[in-house]
Amino acid sequence: MSDTPRKLNCDEAIRLLFEFLDNELEQHDHAAVEAHLHDCRACFSRMEFDTRLRRMVKGPEKANAPETLRQRIKKIADQF
């Protein structure tokens, strides 16, 4: 078996991209996606977009509700 990663086309690389970003691929598939991203600017840009989007969606671990929302929820809860 060769140490050279198999060649992927763009469709194959994009299909494996989420698993790649989540580090869920077998080593040979991970290496193949990594090699494709190194050579393909379009897929690399897609990976960068998906990575930034994940960071934005994840956001801060904990956010406090505004006081006005807390008061509205308390008022509704007090009615029960």
Side-chain angles (χ1 to χ4, degrees), residues 45-64:
S45 294
R46 170 68 185 265
M47 187 260 317
E48 285 288 308
F49 174 82
D50 288 345
T51 300
R52 289 180 184 162
L53 181 60
R54 285 174 171 221
R55 276 191 226 128
M56 288 174 53
V57 169
K58 185 176 179 181
E61 293 295 320
K62 182 179 177 182
N64 293 324

Side-chain angles (χ1 to χ4, degrees), residues 6-7 12 15-16 20 22-25 30 34 37 48-49 51 55-57 63 65 70-74 76 79-80:
R6 67 186 173 100
K7 292 281 186 184
E12 293 169 318
R15 183 178 54 80
L16 296 171
F20 175 82
D22 292 335
N23 292 314
E24 295 177 349
L25 292 176
H30 184 90
E34 194 168 51
L37 293 173
E48 285 288 308
F49 174 82
T51 300
R55 276 191 226 128
M56 288 174 53
V57 169
R70 290 175 189 234
Q71 291 172 1
R72 288 175 52 202
I73 292 171
K74 183 177 181 334
I76 292 169
Q79 293 175 357
F80 291 99

Side-chain angles (χ1 to χ4, degrees), residues 8-37:
L8 298 177
N9 64 37
C10 292
D11 289 336
E12 293 169 318
I14 295 301
R15 183 178 54 80
L16 296 171
L17 186 59
F18 291 121
E19 291 171 277
F20 175 82
L21 293 173
D22 292 335
N23 292 314
E24 295 177 349
L25 292 176
E26 297 290 328
Q27 177 58 35
H28 63 279
D29 286 332
H30 184 90
V33 173
E34 194 168 51
H36 182 83
L37 293 173

